[in-house]
Amino acid sequence: MSNGQRAGILTKSEIKAEAEKAREAEKKALEKLKRESQGENSETVYRDKAGRRIDLKMQRTEEARKRKEEIEKAARRMEWGKGLVQRKEAEEEKRRLDEQKDKPMARYADDEDLNEELKEVERWNDPAAGFLTKKTSKSKGKRLARPTYKGAWKPNRFMIPPGYRWDGVDRSTGFEDTFLLQQNQTKSRAAEAHAWATEDM
């Protein structure tokens, strides 16, 4: 038969054994189904907000990669935040520490490097600094020479030259001219008055 029982004439004991066997098989099938429905001996399934399955190993590696990228980005930002001078000073300090590593702990008066270092230090109240030290030109980078206006221009009260882009056209209100004229007149009157006052002497 289709359910697994034997066909034909059966004895009472054979029918009992067949029924017992069928009951056992059904019981095992139900227990198996129950275990599967409860998720026994199965791995936990993690899902995201959209309901898609998440592979934990992949997610952990992705998080570690993102964390590493953020750390590298922060380190790069810190490096970019420093200027060329700070970077150069850090390299100089590193080089100096590497040199100091090989030197002995105690340094004596005949140590040439120590003497050179002490000679190079500039002191503000050193009377012999003018003729004993060698002039070293430590330029702090290239200074840009700004362009200047080439040509004649009217003087102003502060003698500030015009910008290099000036086209030579005087667009003032004339205040500077009158101000300078008044100043010159006052000076000449004072000089004239002094001359008249001291004429008899």
Side-chain angles (χ1 to χ4, degrees):
M1 291 171 84
S2 62
N3 61 359
Q5 293 179 344
R6 286 189 296 167
I9 301 172
L10 301 170
T11 62
K12 184 180 171 183
S13 61
E14 286 176 341
I15 293 173
K16 246 186 192 180
E18 283 285 327
E20 191 66 34
K21 193 176 176 186
R23 242 190 326 270
E24 285 292 321
E26 191 177 347
K27 197 175 178 182
K28 282 181 182 175
L30 279 172
E31 282 178 9
K32 186 180 178 189
L33 191 64
K34 193 175 178 184
R35 278 200 305 271
E36 284 176 2
S37 67
Q38 288 179 350
E40 198 175 304
N41 298 331
S42 63
E43 289 184 18
T44 308
V45 176
Y46 295 96
R47 298 181 184 273
D48 62 2
K49 290 178 184 176
R52 294 176 296 217
R53 284 185 145 193
I54 298 172
D55 188 5
L56 279 181
K57 288 179 183 174
M58 288 291 287
Q59 188 179 12
R60 285 190 190 119
T61 55
E62 186 69 23
E63 284 174 2
R65 187 184 61 79
K66 280 182 182 174
R67 211 174 304 118
K68 189 178 177 185
E69 278 181 8
E70 285 174 11
I71 291 168
E72 285 175 2
K73 210 181 268 185
R76 260 188 266 127
R77 205 177 304 124
M78 289 296 289
E79 186 69 25
W80 288 343
K82 290 182 181 178
L84 293 173
V85 175
Q86 286 87 348
R87 211 174 289 158
K88 196 172 184 181
E89 283 176 358
E91 287 172 7
E92 186 69 27
E93 183 68 17
K94 190 176 179 186
R95 186 191 58 76
R96 192 182 64 75
L97 286 173
D98 285 342
E99 286 176 5
Q100 294 293 331
K101 202 168 34 176
D102 300 331
K103 293 182 181 176
M105 190 68 152
R107 297 176 81 181
Y108 300 103
D110 60 345
D111 190 358
E112 291 176 13
D113 293 333
L114 178 64
N115 289 337
E116 284 299 317
E117 282 178 28
L118 293 174
K119 280 181 188 175
E120 285 173 7
V121 174
E122 290 183 18
R123 294 168 188 83
W124 68 273
N125 59 351
D126 188 4
F131 53 88
L132 284 182
T133 56
K134 296 171 190 166
K135 299 273 183 178
T136 56
S137 60
K138 288 185 179 177
S139 59
K140 300 255 180 182
K142 291 182 179 176
R143 298 244 173 178
L144 294 172
R146 297 193 173 197
T148 55
Y149 178 73
K150 291 170 178 61
W153 46 278
K154 268 204 294 186
N156 52 45
R157 64 187 134 152
F158 302 117
M159 293 305 289
I160 299 170
Y164 73 97
R165 291 191 180 100
W166 186 49
D167 59 356
V169 179
D170 184 17
R171 294 180 180 84
S172 68
T173 58
F175 174 77
E176 289 284 330
D177 298 336
T178 55
F179 182 81
L180 289 173
L181 186 66
Q182 284 175 353
Q183 267 190 339
N184 289 339
Q185 283 177 351
T186 308
K187 283 180 187 172
S188 67
R189 276 195 211 113
E192 198 175 323
H194 180 69
W196 276 98
T198 57
E199 186 180 358
D200 295 338
M201 293 181 192

